[in-house]
Amino acid sequence: MLIMVSRIEQARRRLEAEGARVLALPPGDDLFYLLAYTPHPDERPCYLFLTPEEVLFLVPELNAAEAAAHVPFPTITYTDAEGPGGALREVHRRLGPPPVVVVGDTMRADALLLLQELWPQARFIPGARVMAPLRTVKSAEEIAALQRAAVTADAAVEAVFAAVRPGVREADLKRVAEDALYAAGAQEVPFATIGVGANSAFPHHTTSAAVAKAGEPILVDLGSRVDGYMSDITRMAFLGSPPARYLEIHALVEEAVCAALETIRPGVPIREVDLAARQVIERAGYGGRFTHRTGHGIGISVHEAPSITHTNERPLEVGMTFSVEPGIYLPGEFGVRLEEIVVVTAQGPQILSRLPRDLRVL
């Protein structure tokens, strides 16, 4: 309860700094950050409304009993037969017509349109303006949850590698990963991506029925949720004896990871982390094959602030948590990505995974 009160007060201060009157959050990660709870998201509108004076929770009747155990604020409900119109008019009566409304970034378009009809004169701005600054630096409790999630990810990577053999499908290995994550304590498995052979060259490959073959790499990228917080890891294996070209690329990506890690300390501009990794790959002539940023923040969401890109001038702070995951992708051949989740400490980066990044030859 104390954490909830503190976070709501912080959100109110950010709301005031943005010159806004109302923060409207849908079910999702921002709501979970404030309440340690989020209801089931569907087509029925649901909002947490936060103002300098009030907190109101609008929820469909079928979710109201469950929400009551988690939301200690005045609640407005509606039935499926009634629809949300009357409940929203009650919100308008209690909150008035705000000049500026901050809306959660993941709000459904239909839910946003209802608010725009409710407050036609208001200006609407993105929720990240309020919520991202609150979520970027993690508490000790949040970091401990991230560490617990990382343990499940390590176990799943090991399980996948143990299951790889010629003829096994990507989809089969995905199920192995999911089962291992749950067995290790994950409460949710948002993604488990397996890319064999040339599919490893797609940074966001959709796991398929492709079959692992001798003489090909296997990319494993997976994430779990434990106590509301995410893991994310990428490791590489090779089925059979890897050729010199593959070993060269793997070594370059490992060098890029190490270069990025060496820059991480409080006060260093975030851009330097990206540039350190990028310069290693560019010097080797593969700059055009590193097609994404070096990393992303992680916490309740698998992708959140800060973005680890060479355009981000923000200095690193103790408690920031993010991925370091440079990659080289050669379409039609293979790709290599190695990913760590790190916490910025006063002494430098703390890596949450306990798995080595060495190529696993199977």
Side-chain angles (χ1 to χ4, degrees):
M1 184 65 178
L2 289 177
I3 292 175
M4 182 191 303
V5 171
S6 173
R7 289 179 176 179
I8 285 174
E9 288 308 311
Q10 290 175 49
R12 281 178 163 144
R13 288 194 290 272
R14 287 296 313 170
L15 194 63
E16 183 180 7
E18 292 295 332
R21 173 72 186 169
V22 173
L23 172 65
L25 297 179
D29 292 348
D30 283 337
L31 190 59
F32 183 87
Y33 179 81
L34 291 183
L35 303 183
Y37 162 77
T38 183
H40 175 72
D42 62 15
E43 74 280 7
R44 300 173 179 89
C46 177
Y47 314 88
L48 180 76
F49 294 103
L50 177 69
T51 76
E53 302 84 21
E54 286 199 71
V55 181
L56 289 178
F57 191 58
L58 187 153
V59 63
E61 181 65 36
L62 81 167
N63 294 331
E66 181 183 47
H70 304 276
V71 183
F73 302 111
T75 298
I76 302 171
T77 66
Y78 64 91
T79 66
D80 284 351
E82 294 168 340
L88 284 168
R89 286 191 292 274
E90 175 64 12
V91 170
H92 188 284
R93 186 187 71 79
R94 296 178 65 164
L95 302 186
V100 179
V101 179
V102 182
V103 292
D105 293 2
T106 60
M107 186 177 290
R108 287 174 52 124
D110 52 1
L112 173 58
L113 288 169
L114 287 174
L115 295 186
Q116 291 176 326
E117 291 174 7
L118 186 68
W119 292 310
Q121 305 304 318
R123 183 166 63 93
F124 289 79
I125 63 175
R129 302 258 287 266
V130 168
M131 297 304 300
L134 306 185
R135 292 174 53 186
T136 299
V137 175
K138 307 300 190 290
S139 67
E141 292 78 11
E142 290 177 290
I143 292 168
L146 288 165
Q147 180 68 76
R148 292 191 292 274
V151 170
T152 70
D154 285 359
V157 171
E158 292 283 20
V160 171
F161 286 167
V164 173
R165 60 186 59 85
V168 69
R169 300 180 307 162
E170 289 178 352
D172 298 327
L173 296 174
K174 178 179 180 179
R175 281 193 290 273
V176 168
E178 292 169 341
D179 290 346
L181 285 164
Y182 284 120
Q187 292 142 1
E188 184 184 347
V189 179
F191 66 96
T193 299
I194 311 295
V196 302
N199 287 343
S200 62
F202 301 132
H204 280 167
H205 173 55
T206 299
T207 299
S208 70
V211 171
K213 301 172 185 173
E216 290 186 341
I218 298 96
L219 180 148
V220 179
D221 179 5
L222 50 83
S224 60
R225 193 183 302 278
V226 175
D227 299 329
Y229 286 78
M230 289 293 303
S231 68
D232 193 2
I233 190 171
T234 308
R235 291 290 189 271
M236 302 296 306
F238 205 94
L239 191 52
S241 180
R245 177 166 167 78
Y246 181 88
L247 292 173
E248 172 202 356
I249 299 298
H250 192 283
L252 274 171
V253 174
E254 170 64 16
E255 184 182 350
V257 172
C258 292
L261 292 173
E262 288 171 3
T263 68
I264 295 173
R265 58 187 183 277
V268 171
I270 286 172
R271 67 188 302 269
E272 297 300 326
V273 181
D274 181 87
L275 287 172
R278 197 166 301 280
Q279 286 166 1
V280 169
I281 293 173
E282 287 177 345
R283 284 196 299 267
Y286 292 100
R289 300 303 186 186
F290 179 15
T291 54
H292 54 76
R293 61 191 174 183
T294 292
H296 55 80
I298 188 170
I300 297 171
S301 306
V302 69
H303 284 193
E304 59 183 52
S307 180
I308 310 303
T309 177
H310 57 277
T311 61
N312 193 340
E313 299 284 354
R314 180 173 179 173
L316 293 172
E317 298 177 47
V318 170
M320 284 183 172
T321 54
F322 53 86
S323 69
V324 172
E325 50 177 309
I328 295 175
Y329 308 96
L330 307 176
E333 294 185 68
F334 60 81
V336 177
R337 181 170 68 254
L338 299 170
E339 178 180 19
E340 300 285 16
I341 299 301
V342 302
V343 181
V344 180
T345 76
Q347 293 73 42
Q350 173 193 352
I351 298 173
L352 296 187
S353 173
R354 296 294 179 261
L355 287 184
R357 294 186 299 275
D358 302 342
L359 176 65
R360 189 74 64 90
V361 178
L362 306 172

